[in-house]
Amino acid sequence: MTAAAVEKRTSKRKKPPSLTRERIRSEALKLIDAEGLEAFSTRKLGAALGCEAMAIYWYYPSKEALLDAVVDELMSRVGRVAAPEATDWVEALREIARAYRGLAHKHPNAFPLIATRRFATEGTFAFLERLFELAQRQGIDDRTTARFFRAVSAYCSGIALNELAARGEEADREVRARFKRVSSVSRWLEPAHFDDLFEFGLGVLLDALARSVR
Amino acid sequence: MTAAAVEKRTSKRKKPPSLTRERIRSEALKLIDAEGLEAFSTRKLGAALGCEAMAIYWYYPSKEALLDAVVDELMSRVGRVAAPEATDWVEALREIARAYRGLAHKHPNAFPLIATRRFATEGTFAFLERLFELAQRQGIDDRTTARFFRAVSAYCSGIALNELAARGEEADREVRARFKRVSSVSRWLEPAHFDDLFEFGLGVLLDALARSVR
DNA sequence: ACCTGAACACCGTTCAAGT
DNA sequence: ACCTGAACACCGTTCAAGT
């Protein structure tokens, strides 16, 4: 497309908006990733977008609504990464659990948003719909689906939050040293064992699911 | 004690401070319970205590440190409620899990603090020390102790956060209605089933623990 | 030792105004 | 329709000063 054609196009539709909901949302996530949730503000986001902070309010009614949109995008990603298609429900749940925890590692600053916010946006529902469809095709009743889904998702949220909170816990090492048994057991709770700890609890839950499906 | 005696006492020690770490901490919790975490500020806390906001900084280095102290108090309470003395470790863990979830219901506004903050204060350690001592007396090795402790505590954090986030989720009912399977499974995820869902997942984890102990 | 008060560098959001 | 700019009512924290 020539420069003239572009010119003609853009001059026809009076002028395209420089902001979009998507651009704001993804810039918000980038800022949160870079500087943390506490440091994130609509004013800084405005600066990053090259506009006044108030311009954002034309696209989102509040900062809270914008954060919901960020969560929605991240949750949709979990759904895409772990497409529950060919496998059985136990394995689909395992993949999703891993992808969900992976999200916590990829976006440590944004993850607390997901874990504390209500799990009820468009993108989240779309993803759950496919997951629950698969359960039905496997002949798993709704109650069992609900129970294991809740157990696994709660477990993953908790584990991930725990892992994130453990960053910089070395500072507490001296106070912990005064508690003999805590020190002893804590050896197994260190970051080096995070993968093992996660898979262990997940295995316990999914083994029970596998037994109850058969 | 007569008024004169009181007068003599207080005049001897030049003047007792009107603030203490404990008074500030418990007033902070009261404010968070009443108005929520977002609305909580050092300035409002100052007003509630009858002093300038800045007076708090003589007792705590920052708002963050004060919130850590609030978490510490709440965690110590869980330890006291569920005194792991006479029972075996499986049942001790079950009681603690219930007490921990109970905390979320008693202090819904403060609970996210506990779940997202590092689990490493004086009061928390004192409580864990007793819990891990009990595990040792039962002959449970440190690795198994660590694995199940982590699994159960992560599960409880996640479940509790989930339950709190579900408050006011009725607003999302219309969007959920467009997803057939989500609607169907969600019937079992409603507040009426929260107790059942919690006990179900907890049971799965603790049954596995009971098996591995024997 | 314990607390005040002014000040600094921020917030989210409303609202009238610009283009 | 889309964005600006001033304004309002807040924040956490520093620091000098008071008692």
Side-chain angles (χ1 to χ4, degrees), chain B residues 41-44 54 57 63:
Chain B
S41 73
T42 55
R43 290 164 123 106
K44 282 185 193 160
M54 305 315 124
Y57 285 79
K63 186 189 184 187

Side-chain angles (χ1 to χ4, degrees), chain B residues 7 17 19 42 45 71 74 85 119 129-130 142-143 160 195 205:
Chain B
E7 175 56 23
L19 259 36
T42 55
L45 180 55
V71 168
L74 291 172
E85 307 261 335
F119 225 66
E129 183 70 9
R130 277 162 38 225
D142 286 354
R143 189 176 202 197
D195 287 350
L205 291 171

Side-chain angles (χ1 to χ4, degrees), chain A residues 29 32-33 74-75 77-78 96-115 153 155-165 167 194 198:
Chain A
L29 177 57
I32 292 168
D33 280 342
L74 290 172
M75 284 306 295
R77 253 183 246 180
V78 174
I96 284 163
R98 286 173 179 157
Y100 189 62
R101 175 170 174 257
L103 201 69
H105 295 155
K106 217 170 167 224
H107 301 278
N109 293 336
F111 190 80
L113 280 179
I114 302 177
S153 65
Y155 171 74
C156 292
S157 286
I159 277 274
L161 246 25
N162 242 306
E163 291 176 358
L164 298 183
R167 296 178 306 178
F194 279 179
F198 172 71

Side-chain angles (χ1 to χ4, degrees), chain B residues 145-176:
Chain B
T145 301
R147 281 175 156 175
F148 280 99
F149 165 72
R150 171 59 73 100
V152 170
S153 64
Y155 171 73
C156 292
S157 285
I159 277 273
L161 247 25
N162 241 307
E163 292 176 357
L164 298 183
R167 297 178 304 177
E169 197 154 302
E170 293 83 46
D172 306 300
R173 202 156 273 177
E174 44 180 313
V175 39
R176 186 166 57 207

Side-chain angles (χ1 to χ4, degrees), chain B residues 160-199:
Chain B
L161 247 25
N162 241 307
E163 292 176 357
L164 298 183
R167 297 178 304 177
E169 197 154 302
E170 293 83 46
D172 306 300
R173 202 156 273 177
E174 44 180 313
V175 39
R176 186 166 57 207
R178 302 207 318 275
F179 299 94
K180 272 186 51 186
R181 301 259 51 239
V182 170
S183 305
S184 183
V185 173
S186 290
R187 282 186 43 238
W188 297 102
L189 294 170
E190 302 215 318
H193 297 107
F194 279 180
D195 287 350
D196 177 74
L197 286 162
F198 171 71
E199 290 291 338

Side-chain angles (χ1 to χ4, degrees), chain A residues 30-43:
Chain A
K30 228 188 321 192
L31 256 178
I32 292 168
D33 280 342
E35 305 193 17
L37 210 51
E38 304 288 87
F40 175 73
S41 72
T42 55
R43 292 166 123 104

Side-chain angles (χ1 to χ4, degrees), chain A residues 130-173:
Chain A
R130 277 162 38 226
L131 181 63
F132 294 162
E133 271 168 6
L134 179 63
Q136 191 177 42
R137 279 202 298 275
Q138 300 246 154
I140 301 169
D141 67 287
D142 287 354
R143 189 175 201 199
T144 303
T145 301
R147 280 174 155 177
F148 280 99
F149 166 71
R150 173 58 75 97
V152 170
S153 65
Y155 171 74
C156 292
S157 286
I159 277 274
L161 246 25
N162 242 306
E163 291 176 358
L164 298 183
R167 296 178 306 178
E169 195 155 304
E170 294 82 43
D172 305 300
R173 201 156 272 178

